[in-house]
Amino acid sequence: MDILGLSAADIASIGVTNQRETTLVWDRLTGEPLYPAILWSDSRTADTVQKYIDASDKGTDALRHITGLPLAAYFSAMKIRWLLDNVPEVMEAKEQGRLQYGTLDTWLIYNLTGGRDNGVVVTDVTNASRTMLMDIHTLQWSDECLHFFGLEDLQLPKLVSSSRIYGNISSGSLAGIPIAGCLGDQQAAMVGQKCFNKGDAKNTYGTGCFMLFNTGDKPIVSQHGLLSTVAFQFGDQPASYALEGSVAVAGSSINWLRDNLGVINSPAQLNELAGKVDDTGGVYFVTAFNGLFAPYWRDDARGTICGLTQYTNISHLARATLEAVCYQSRAILEAMDRESNTPLRSLKVDGGISNSDLCMQIQADVLGINVERPSMREMTALGAAIAAGLATGVWESLEDLKDVNQEGVSVFEPKIDEKKRERMFHGWQEAVTRSFGWSKLASA
């Protein structure tokens, strides 16, 4: 800030954004964690999930009408249940009334506003919509969901909107500055991309890949494997909703090639290798390391490489890794088109992999629509800042945001014909079916 000639006094407010389903539990009396956080992508709860699926005549859809979500290891309620069933210290704290649950936003705001010394315990509705414990229609904790998981007396955070003053930072160089924005990371990116209107959509390419489509002021309960979620709620205004499709493995597949196989040194090298060939030579890489998310929802799928020949080299595998992200994004987009009856004409993108011109060109080719990438691509941080700024008068309305981050937008247009596009995607669909069932075979 000194380099920019600014000081803490110039900060009007602060926004928080976070991994959404990642689950923490701590002691309300001491403020200390009772167990390491369980990350959003952690699959240790698979057996717990199956138990609840088997117990309901609706299977994975047992709570979808309330939460918009299928029963899956992805969401927080399953992680809480696992902690209670497997960590004695957590169960003991619950029985003694000391247990506090929260997602990362709750933990951060609690500590920033004082922790055990009167720290604020809240979560915004976007994060709460990923717990499987909130009714997305009423924006209240659901008694039915709490009963379903046996969590009736769990101490839950107060539900709040995504844009309001929650409290002030309690100490340090930023003491006194209000925390006024809170959004789950993918909803924050949606706000950063200014997807405020029904029909707007964005795709964030990070460790995973997350596409959100604004459905307006009413949730759509998906019939095609998508998630229904809260997009944002500013102040006392009605909430906006979104359909979401999540790809479990995107950037993490690049890390796998680097860290596990040792065939690349950096993401830039992957891009360089992939650019040496015009196609994958018929190779498809289904990156289902921990199963497949939307629209497949197959926990039993595992990573699969199809189409290898003696001709295949590392450049083909590098390009197949990038294409895997793009194919999975298309599968999600097709499901969104069916739900909304409004085919997208363009897709706004951000996140680490979006820095690759090659990958974004592949994405445009695979989708058959334009892909729009802003020059400043830290959309998650921008979205949290927008939420905080709206709460503290930095911007008075959404109209005031029209010129924010508008310079230097890159547009990638499709360069292949429809016949080739469909042939490529058909090959992907065939490869996906071959990834199914491997976890069951391995454990048989």
Side-chain angles (χ1 to χ4, degrees), residues 206-281:
T207 304
C209 187
F210 304 89
M211 187 182 296
L212 274 75
F213 178 94
N214 188 322
T215 62
D217 61 2
K218 291 182 174 58
I220 295 176
V221 178
S222 174
Q223 304 300 314
H224 299 283
L226 300 175
L227 308 179
S228 301
T229 195
V230 179
F232 50 82
Q233 183 188 27
F234 298 140
D236 296 326
Q237 298 176 23
S240 288
Y241 294 87
L243 286 171
E244 176 175 336
S246 307
V247 176
V249 176
S252 54
S253 62
I254 300 173
N255 297 340
W256 180 78
L257 291 175
R258 181 192 64 198
D259 301 335
N260 293 42
L261 297 192
V263 295
I264 61 169
N265 296 319
S266 66
Q269 186 182 12
L270 177 87
N271 205 57
E272 180 182 342
L273 287 168
K276 291 181 178 180
V277 291
D278 294 329
D279 55 47
T280 66

Side-chain angles (χ1 to χ4, degrees), residues 190-211:
M190 193 175 195
V191 171
Q193 289 277 23
K194 294 181 287 186
C195 294
F196 298 133
N197 299 313
K198 184 177 180 179
D200 290 344
K202 72 88 194 176
N203 203 16
T204 297
Y205 305 79
T207 304
C209 187
F210 304 89
M211 187 182 296

Side-chain angles (χ1 to χ4, degrees), residues 43-61:
S43 60
R44 77 182 75 181
T45 60
D47 290 341
T48 303
V49 173
Q50 193 59 52
K51 180 180 76 172
Y52 282 98
I53 291 173
D54 293 342
S56 172
D57 58 3
K58 296 180 181 178
T60 58
D61 290 333

Side-chain angles (χ1 to χ4, degrees), residues 273-318:
L273 287 168
K276 291 181 178 180
V277 291
D278 294 329
D279 55 47
T280 66
V283 173
Y284 291 89
F285 182 12
V286 183
T287 55
F289 298 145
N290 290 305
L292 289 168
F293 286 176
Y296 311 105
W297 295 109
R298 292 292 297 253
D299 289 339
D300 62 341
R302 288 297 179 264
T304 306
I305 300 176
C306 299
L308 294 175
T309 67
Q310 199 168 18
Y311 164 75
T312 304
N313 61 43
I314 188 60
S315 290
H316 294 116
L317 181 57

